[in-house]
Amino acid sequence: MYTSYNFNKRENEPLLHYSFERGFTKDELKIIEKGLDQVEIQKATTLGKQSDSIRISRVKWIPQDDYWSWMYSRLENMIEEANDQLWQFELISMPEQIQFTEYHADEKGHYNWHQDLGPGIASGRKVSVTVQLSSSEEYEGGELQITQGGPHDLAFTAPKSAGSVTIFPSYMMHRVTPVTKGIRKSFVLWVGGIPFK
């Protein structure tokens, strides 16, 4: 006789993203831009390794200090809302700094398909966040695309309006298409703290 063994579980939406069309105002974006002048820029790597075939961009790491505390708190609130609505992941901490990223057209800036999971501190990532800092008029290309695992031509394209925020599970494949004109600027952040459970 066949017996079905079931564990108690809560249903969630593991392949959906969550967006805030107006996550940050124009005045708040000006405060962000002013603060960025005080942070050093460097060439981006992928989990400590350099590979231009995978990624070409420049980054700054935003300290968790008094100037930026409002930014971390705002994103924490957005992440909690998205997680409550869709995933119900067990989120413990925000151990990593916000990464400011620039993709330049003259460098063919891009980031090929990837997940945000990996060894070390990246193994605790559960939720990824992207904040659009540039307006759509400032650049061409540079689209953040997220796929549920099917054909890439069916990928969701995130809003490009300045101040918009897109939140999604860190295991979802995503990319930034090559920037063909201008410069795309964004913030990214990862939260979780412990392996999936």
Side-chain angles (χ1 to χ4, degrees):
M1 185 177 94
Y2 175 77
T3 302
S4 176
Y5 296 95
N6 295 315
F7 295 92
N8 292 328
K9 65 178 183 178
R10 297 170 60 190
E11 293 187 357
N12 65 357
E13 297 289 350
L15 296 178
L16 295 185
H17 65 276
Y18 200 89
S19 296
F20 294 87
E21 288 282 349
R22 296 176 181 84
F24 293 89
T25 67
K26 290 182 179 180
D27 288 341
E28 289 171 335
L29 293 176
K30 290 178 181 178
I31 294 172
I32 291 170
E33 185 176 4
K34 180 180 178 181
L36 287 170
D37 292 338
Q38 310 304 316
V39 185
E40 182 180 356
I41 199 160
Q42 56 190 277
K43 190 167 186 179
T45 61
T46 55
L47 294 175
K49 299 178 181 179
Q50 179 58 46
S51 175
D52 287 352
S53 64
I54 298 174
R55 179 183 191 182
I56 299 177
S57 61
R58 306 176 191 181
V59 301
K60 296 183 178 186
W61 295 97
I62 307 304
Q64 295 183 3
D65 60 17
D66 290 342
Y67 185 90
W68 295 102
S69 61
W70 70 275
M71 182 79 183
Y72 281 92
S73 295
R74 179 76 63 80
L75 292 177
E76 180 183 23
N77 291 336
M78 293 180 184
I79 293 163
E80 286 182 345
E81 178 179 326
N83 190 51
D84 288 345
Q85 291 291 321
L86 296 181
W87 314 302
Q88 294 98 47
F89 294 151
E90 184 177 358
L91 303 180
I92 300 298
S93 65
M94 194 182 294
E96 299 183 74
Q97 293 179 324
I98 294 169
Q99 183 187 98
F100 167 75
T101 311
E102 289 182 346
Y103 296 91
H104 292 243
D106 59 7
E107 299 175 345
K108 299 181 180 178
H110 68 278
Y111 200 158
N112 282 337
W113 290 108
H114 66 284
Q115 297 172 307
D116 286 339
L117 298 174
I121 195 169
S123 67
R125 294 174 178 174
K126 294 184 178 180
V127 175
S128 299
V129 184
T130 296
V131 181
Q132 181 69 28
L133 300 178
S134 304
S135 69
S136 57
E137 293 79 24
E138 294 180 71
Y139 68 99
E140 295 178 4
E143 296 178 330
L144 170 62
Q145 297 182 328
I146 306 168
T147 178
Q148 294 182 335
H152 290 164
D153 59 352
L154 300 178
F156 162 77
T157 299
K160 295 179 72 171
S161 55
S164 62
V165 179
T166 303
I167 307 174
F168 55 95
S170 298
Y171 51 70
M172 293 184 73
M173 295 291 289
H174 56 286
R175 70 173 177 176
V176 175
T177 63
V179 175
T180 57
K181 181 179 179 181
I183 302 173
R184 177 187 185 268
K185 301 176 182 180
S186 64
F187 274 156
V188 295
L189 178 65
W190 313 273
V191 302
I194 60 173
F196 276 102
K197 61 180 296 186

